[in-house]
Amino acid sequence: MSRQLLRIAAIGTLMATTQAAAQDVGEGAELYRHFCATCHGIDAAGQGPMAGVLLIPPPDLTKLANEDGVFPTARVVARIDGRDPLVSHGSPMPVYGPYFDGQDTSMKTPEGQPILTSQPIVDLVAYLETLQGQ
């Protein structure tokens, strides 16, 4: 195969792996109930059954958007995938980290900046966005 064809194939592969993924809010809700509700609570207000044993109380996930209603996508992704670890867990967030590895995809911030993450995190973030202002 010629260099040009190899280069085109590589670009096509890169584009396919970095296209923004479709968000599945229903899957995100299931992931939330399974992995997050123990600490953050079923209603996501930070009062889950394990909240009392954490060094830092879990935040109210229904109040992540700023005053203008803009959801902090990059900050939330970084917290979930461990780029911005939490001391209260004693390890990177989430404690179920390996589950969220793989299935690489990207999503965009409200400003249009792409973020490389995984499909489960895309779905979980989509669900968290629906909780804002509740």
Side-chain angles (χ1 to χ4, degrees), residues 73-74 107-115:
T73 304
M107 63 186 305
K108 290 189 177 186
T109 67
E111 298 79 28
Q113 179 69 34
I115 304 170

Side-chain angles (χ1 to χ4, degrees), residues 36-77:
C36 312
T38 302
C39 295
H40 293 279
I42 288 293
D43 63 357
Q47 301 300 317
M50 294 299 293
V53 301
L54 298 175
L55 298 174
I56 300 171
D60 183 341
L61 299 178
T62 67
K63 296 180 172 43
L64 296 174
N66 67 22
E67 301 83 41
D68 297 332
V70 177
F71 187 79
T73 304
R75 190 180 88 210
V76 172
V77 169

Side-chain angles (χ1 to χ4, degrees), residues 19-101:
Q19 289 178 348
Q23 297 177 331
D24 186 336
V25 173
E27 181 65 22
E30 282 297 315
L31 291 169
Y32 178 85
R33 283 190 287 280
H34 186 75
F35 293 104
C36 312
T38 302
C39 295
H40 293 279
I42 288 293
D43 63 357
Q47 301 300 317
M50 294 299 293
V53 301
L54 298 175
L55 298 174
I56 300 171
D60 183 341
L61 299 178
T62 67
K63 296 180 172 43
L64 296 174
N66 67 22
E67 301 83 41
D68 297 332
V70 177
F71 187 79
T73 304
R75 190 180 88 210
V76 172
V77 169
R79 186 59 54 92
I80 294 169
D81 72 12
R83 287 181 250 188
D84 183 11
L86 285 175
V87 176
S88 63
H89 292 90
S91 64
M93 162 93 176
V95 290
Y96 310 102
Y99 176 80
F100 294 108
D101 288 343

